[in-house]
């Protein structure tokens, strides 16, 4: 069992400020140390890489080694303004530009309930804002404003990598009866009973509300809510190799994502906004 690579910032017994910028693997990271939780964000992508309420194991997984340039695998990448491959430009990066660009941190504050952050990215005729509330729970809210004079297409995701004890000992409940599409087998599916991902999974469900990630190895349950997004995506590579990720690390995460526009992109009129959210809390 590997320690989360970003827990290194919290080993010291000395008191830290609530917010402190550090340099790690050629990225600027914001280290957050609050009485209720510890967390790390990357300025690149406004990516939450580590979140751990006090007295609990980490909630998010992150790869130990990051590429010198490019996307960081782990945490909660913001896939925007497209999710997956671009529909027409094959040379453009998968999952969009947002996770590759430095965002501006407009606000960071703390109170008795935790920490609250506001990140923003301006790109061409788009403005995208990410609000994060972290304490005993985790909540991310993504808001996009289309500022052009013509309609545009958008797809997006909060691509969360949840930290688990062993992929062979996890199950997802709350999807029972949900209709979806199995992208590995290229067929429509309807979930029967709990979903197990050991062996590989890439399914897109039409599902709203909360589901439960049951982690038997760590004897805990995380309740994950993808809100009213169009899709809940469940992904694990199984035996397929992931560049820069060891075989042992692959067994330590499962992705449960909030996505919209992945199957049919959202059309935004000038001045219109699109929203996406992801919440999590500890189960009973």
């Amino acid at each position: 069992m590997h320690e989360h690579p970003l827990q290194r910032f919290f080993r010291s017994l000395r008191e830290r400020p609530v917010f402190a910028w550090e340099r790690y693997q050629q990225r600027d990271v914001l280290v957050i140390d609050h009485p209720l939780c510890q967390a790390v964000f990357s300025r690149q992508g406004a990516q939450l890489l580590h979140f751990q309420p006090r007295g609990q194991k980490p909630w998010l997984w992150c790869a130990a080694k990051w590429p010198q340039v490019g996307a960081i695998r782990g945490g909660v990448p913001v896939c925007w303004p497209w999710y997956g491959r671009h529909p027409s430009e094959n040379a453009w990066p998968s999952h969009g530009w947002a996770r590759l660009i430095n965002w501006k941190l407009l606000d960071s504050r703390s109170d008795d309930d935790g920490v609250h952050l506001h990140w923003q990215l301006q790109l061409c005729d788009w403005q995208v804002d990410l609000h994060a509330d972290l304490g005993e729970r985790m909540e991310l809210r993504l808001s996009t404003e289309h500022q052009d004079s013509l309609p545009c297409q958008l797809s997006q995701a909060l691509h969360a990598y949840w930290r688990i004890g062993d992929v062979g000992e996890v199950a997802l409940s709350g999807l029972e009866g949900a209709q979806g599409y199995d992208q590995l087998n290229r067929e429509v599916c309807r979930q029967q009973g709990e979903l197990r991902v050991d062996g590989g999974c890439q399914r897109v469900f039409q599902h709203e509300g909360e589901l439960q990630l049951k982690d038997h190895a760590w004897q805990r349950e995380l309740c994950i809510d993808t809100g009213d997004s169009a899709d809940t995506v469940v992904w694990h590579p199984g035996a397929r190799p992931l560049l820069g990720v060891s075989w042992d690390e692959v067994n330590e995460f499962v992705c449960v994502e909030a996505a919209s526009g992945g199957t049919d992109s959202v059309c935004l009129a000038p001045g219109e906004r699109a929203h996406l959210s992801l919440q999590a809390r500890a189960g009973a």
Side-chain angles (χ1 to χ4, degrees):
M1 184 65 61
H2 297 89
E3 181 188 55
H4 193 292
L6 296 172
Q7 285 179 299
R8 66 191 303 273
F9 290 115
F10 306 103
R11 291 175 187 157
S12 174
L13 297 178
R14 66 182 177 86
E15 185 175 347
R16 295 185 59 97
V18 175
F19 302 102
W21 286 101
E22 302 278 358
R23 190 72 175 169
Y24 182 69
Q25 296 203 43
Q26 303 185 55
R27 308 307 202 285
D28 291 329
V29 295
L30 181 63
V31 179
I32 299 168
D33 198 353
H34 184 274
L36 292 182
C37 67
Q38 296 172 332
V40 178
F41 270 94
S42 169
R43 190 193 303 274
Q44 177 183 310
Q47 190 166 333
L48 178 59
L49 297 171
H50 174 59
F51 174 66
Q52 183 172 3
R54 294 287 180 179
Q56 299 186 38
K57 290 182 169 63
W59 285 20
L60 298 174
W61 174 90
C62 184
K65 293 183 179 180
W66 304 350
Q68 291 188 2
V69 294
I72 303 169
R73 188 180 292 278
V76 189
V78 177
C79 302
W80 179 95
W82 63 88
Y83 173 53
R85 294 182 179 179
H86 191 276
S88 60
E89 300 292 340
N90 292 332
W92 288 9
S94 293
H95 299 317
W97 304 110
R99 63 182 187 153
L100 304 174
I101 298 175
N102 285 346
W103 292 47
K104 289 183 179 179
L105 180 59
L106 297 185
D107 184 39
S108 59
R109 56 188 176 84
S110 65
D111 56 26
D112 291 341
D113 294 324
V115 295
H116 315 277
L117 299 98
H118 178 194
W119 298 86
Q120 187 178 87
L121 179 64
Q122 291 273 356
L123 185 64
C124 300
D125 296 308
W126 305 77
Q127 176 181 303
V128 58
D129 294 88
L130 179 69
H131 292 268
D133 297 317
L134 308 175
E136 293 179 341
R137 302 185 177 201
M138 178 186 118
E139 180 176 2
L140 301 175
R141 303 183 306 279
L142 191 68
S143 176
T144 299
E145 181 179 358
H146 174 42
Q147 300 173 334
D148 198 2
S149 58
L150 297 173
C152 68
Q153 301 299 117
L154 171 74
S155 62
Q156 56 186 342
L158 293 168
H159 189 316
Y161 290 75
W162 302 99
R163 183 73 158 84
I164 55 176
D166 187 327
V167 72
E169 298 185 49
V170 298
L172 289 165
S173 63
L175 292 168
E176 292 83 355
Q179 185 169 328
Y181 186 76
D182 187 331
Q183 295 180 327
L184 292 181
N185 296 316
R186 299 184 180 181
E187 62 184 16
V188 174
C189 62
R190 184 177 293 275
Q191 183 59 36
Q192 303 293 329
E194 293 182 334
L195 174 61
R196 295 185 178 272
V197 302
D198 189 24
C201 180
Q202 191 169 352
R203 297 185 184 182
V204 182
F205 291 99
Q206 298 169 8
H207 169 268
E208 293 182 3
E210 196 172 78
L211 56 85
Q212 294 76 42
L213 174 58
K214 298 179 179 180
D215 185 347
H216 298 294
W218 275 1
Q219 297 183 340
R220 77 170 179 188
E221 178 178 291
L222 293 179
C223 298
I224 302 167
D225 193 336
T226 56
D228 58 357
S229 62
D231 298 318
T232 296
V233 181
V234 181
W235 175 75
H236 188 270
R240 291 171 295 166
L242 290 180
L243 185 65
V245 180
S246 71
W247 286 110
D248 290 340
E249 288 180 286
V250 169
N251 290 324
E252 296 175 350
F253 74 80
V254 61
C255 290
V256 180
E257 315 163 28
S260 65
T263 49
D264 296 304
S265 57
V266 177
C267 182
L268 288 185
E272 190 175 3
R273 287 182 173 269
H275 302 278
L276 193 66
S277 68
L278 180 69
Q279 301 179 48
R281 63 180 180 86

